[in-house]
Structure formats: structure tokens, C-alpha cells
Amino acid sequence: MNGVEQANQLLHKMWADYIKVNPQAQKIFNLLSQNGETVENDHIALRTFNHPQLGIKSLAAPFLKQGFALAGDYFFSEKKLYAQHFQHPDPRLPKIFISELELEKVSPYIQEIVANCIYQIDEKSIQDEHFSLSGRHWNINYSTYQKLAAESEYASWVYAFGFRPNHFTVSVNKLKHLTELHRLNSYLKDQGIRLNSSGGEIKGTPAELLEQSSTMANEIQWQFSDGVYSIPACYYEFAKRYSMNTGELYQGFIAKSADKIFESTNRA
Ligand code: NI
């Protein structure tokens, strides 16, 4: 099996894992497909902590083996996040966007909770090519979740869900009919789907070469050691890219826009 086939197989499994916690994405995928659209991914996003054992490097390792290469990096100072994106020479494969929480910048409380979670992960599973869909490796309780969320929604998300796709992103450039992001947004809203309006529904402009929108993460009933609670899970994103002076589509990300997109998993 070559790198592209391996990547497709892994991405397929990641999608299957993702729609388990975000059935709304499958619903949107089906709606678009029934409308005669070809739904292809622009990028897939993963979240982690910048701990030496499982930072971006660990999550990126299987993708690097498949031929992906580092293509950009981004800082989100307010959210205390750092991210890198990886691209494959085969343009049919989506980009992989991996962010990590900068632990040295968060409170001792988050540091301690995260250290305790990481301590429970078996070293072997980190090296497994399926680590990016391995989910959680520790028990969770709701009071800790709430306390984490008060300081960092991002930390609380990884605490509750572990390592799995945070979102998939539809490439609007590949759609045949809903080729304008505002039209796609209207269509989705007509179907009763709630969009993230933090910083406006559309983040970015044609001049910035990238426009993005996303659903608000759907709420799911999630099992904690102290009960079942409804929490925001994953969201679905939509990206339209514009051509650079070279005539090629811009393939990077806009930190200012991504900063707002992160808020799609904020609690209502
Ligand atoms: Ni994204």
C-alpha cells in the first residue's frame, strides 16, 4: 500500500470516529450529496497538549510517514495555542491541521490535571498509527471538566474527548452548486443548522485568500464518572480558498479566523 492509500484508509477511519460524536456532519454530508454535490475535505483538525510525549509531533508522525510535510505554523496567544499544518504532494488529500495547548502558559491546575491524564496513556498507543482516533485514555468527572472549561474550553474538550478529529472541513471550491460560502451558509441555516457567528458567520475575506464558516458543535450526552451531561462535541467546517498571484489556490490558514473557529466548541 502506498502513502496515499494508507492516508485514505486512516482518514476513512477518522471520519467514522468523527461522525459517532458529530452525527450532524453525516447529515450535512448526505444533504449536500443528495443535492448532487461532491463533498471533499479541505482539512481535518486534531487537538493535543504540547507535552513532550504527545505534542503535535506525535500526532503528526503517521501522516509524515504517508508523505505529508510541514507547510505552515500559527500562534494563538490569547488561547495559548500553537498549531502546524501538514500537506501532501497529492492535492486530493486534505491538509492536516494540528494544534496544541501550551502547557507552560496555563494554570498549575490545568497542568496537574493534564499530567495526570497523560500519565495514564500507554506509551505504545501513542506510537500506534491510529492514535489520532484513539479517544480518551483516562476517566473524567464533570466538576473537573467545568473547572477546566472556565479557564480553557480547549483543555476541557481534549479532557472529555481525548485524541480524535475535532472537525472535518468541506472544500467549498469542490462544490458544484453552492460555490459561494454565504449561499452554503444560507442553505445550511434553512435546514435548521446553527452556525458559529463569533466574529461574523464568515471568517476571512477573498483578499485574505481564505473564507471559513462552521457549525456550532452539536451537543451530545456524554458519560462522566459522576453522571451523564450534555456537552459540545465536534463541529463541521466549510472553507473556500482563493488564488494567489501565481494562479494557485492559497493553501495556508489565517490565525485571526482560526482563532474564532476554535470557539465552535464553546459551551452555549
Ligand atoms: Ni479548521
Side-chain angles (χ1 to χ4, degrees):
M1 217 173 15
N2 65 32
V4 175
E5 285 165 348
Q6 279 173 342
N8 276 321
Q9 207 172 72
L10 179 58
L11 296 173
H12 199 75
K13 288 178 188 161
M14 286 167 73
W15 172 261
D17 176 74
Y18 167 71
I19 55 170
K20 270 192 272 173
V21 284
N22 186 16
Q24 190 187 60
Q26 180 73 70
K27 186 183 146 193
I28 294 171
F29 180 96
N30 292 347
L31 280 170
L32 293 173
S33 303
Q34 284 155 15
N35 265 355
E37 298 286 14
T38 315
V39 185
E40 288 185 38
N41 293 309
D42 176 87
H43 67 272
I44 294 159
L46 297 165
R47 293 179 169 188
T48 188
F49 303 110
N50 72 344
H51 187 275
Q53 273 173 289
L54 81 174
I56 292 175
K57 254 195 192 122
S58 302
L59 269 88
F63 299 103
L64 295 178
K65 272 190 209 153
Q66 296 159 0
F68 283 86
L70 178 63
D73 74 335
Y74 314 90
F75 285 95
F76 306 93
S77 55
E78 205 181 302
K79 294 189 171 62
K80 300 176 172 107
L81 301 174
Y82 170 67
Q84 295 183 334
H85 101 258
F86 300 85
Q87 234 167 283
H88 199 280
D90 187 327
R92 289 170 302 177
L93 286 172
K95 290 168 279 297
I96 307 294
F97 183 94
I98 311 176
S99 56
E100 60 183 19
L101 183 66
E102 299 176 296
L103 291 172
E104 69 281 5
K105 297 182 183 169
V106 300
S107 68
Y109 178 76
I110 294 190
Q111 289 174 2
E112 187 193 319
I113 297 296
V114 169
N116 186 46
C117 290
I118 293 170
Y119 176 72
Q120 296 176 62
I121 310 174
D122 173 10
E123 177 73 39
K124 258 192 235 149
S125 55
I126 300 177
Q127 279 146 27
D128 189 288
E129 64 157 324
H130 297 116
F131 184 64
S132 59
L133 56 112
S134 65
R136 212 177 57 226
H137 301 251
W138 50 82
N139 290 320
I140 50 173
N141 70 72
Y142 191 63
S143 55
T144 305
Y145 170 82
Q146 282 181 301
K147 216 170 152 187
L148 289 173
E151 181 184 336
S152 165
E153 295 272 2
Y154 184 100
S156 69
W157 190 90
V158 183
Y159 173 74
F161 296 103
F163 308 99
R164 59 182 357 143
N166 171 265
H167 61 270
F168 275 64
T169 308
V170 173
S171 166
V172 177
N173 297 75
K174 303 273 173 65
L175 298 179
K176 289 184 208 124
H177 312 296
L178 295 164
T179 52
E180 295 299 329
L181 194 53
H182 68 91
R183 283 187 53 217
L184 174 62
N185 287 348
S186 304
Y187 170 78
L188 294 171
K189 285 188 288 180
D190 287 347
Q191 306 293 322
I193 288 154
R194 202 159 68 95
L195 300 179
N196 172 351
S197 56
S198 170
E201 271 172 11
I202 296 182
K203 284 81 173 159
T205 61
E208 290 172 300
L209 307 178
L210 174 62
E211 290 180 312
Q212 290 164 281
S213 66
S214 70
T215 66
M216 282 306 283
N218 66 302
E219 298 259 333
I220 56 162
Q221 297 291 109
W222 206 238
Q223 180 75 55
F224 290 83
S225 61
D226 45 353
V228 174
Y229 293 89
S230 178
I231 61 168
C234 297
Y235 57 91
Y236 208 13
E237 190 183 309
F238 313 95
K240 177 159 180 176
R241 296 184 177 277
Y242 291 86
S243 298
M244 301 179 288
N245 291 337
T246 58
E248 280 173 288
L249 285 183
Y250 174 67
Q251 294 297 333
F253 293 85
I254 311 286
K256 177 165 61 89
S257 303
D259 192 71
K260 295 294 175 204
I261 295 267
F262 276 118
E263 294 171 14
S264 306
T265 50
N266 281 10
R267 291 163 305 158

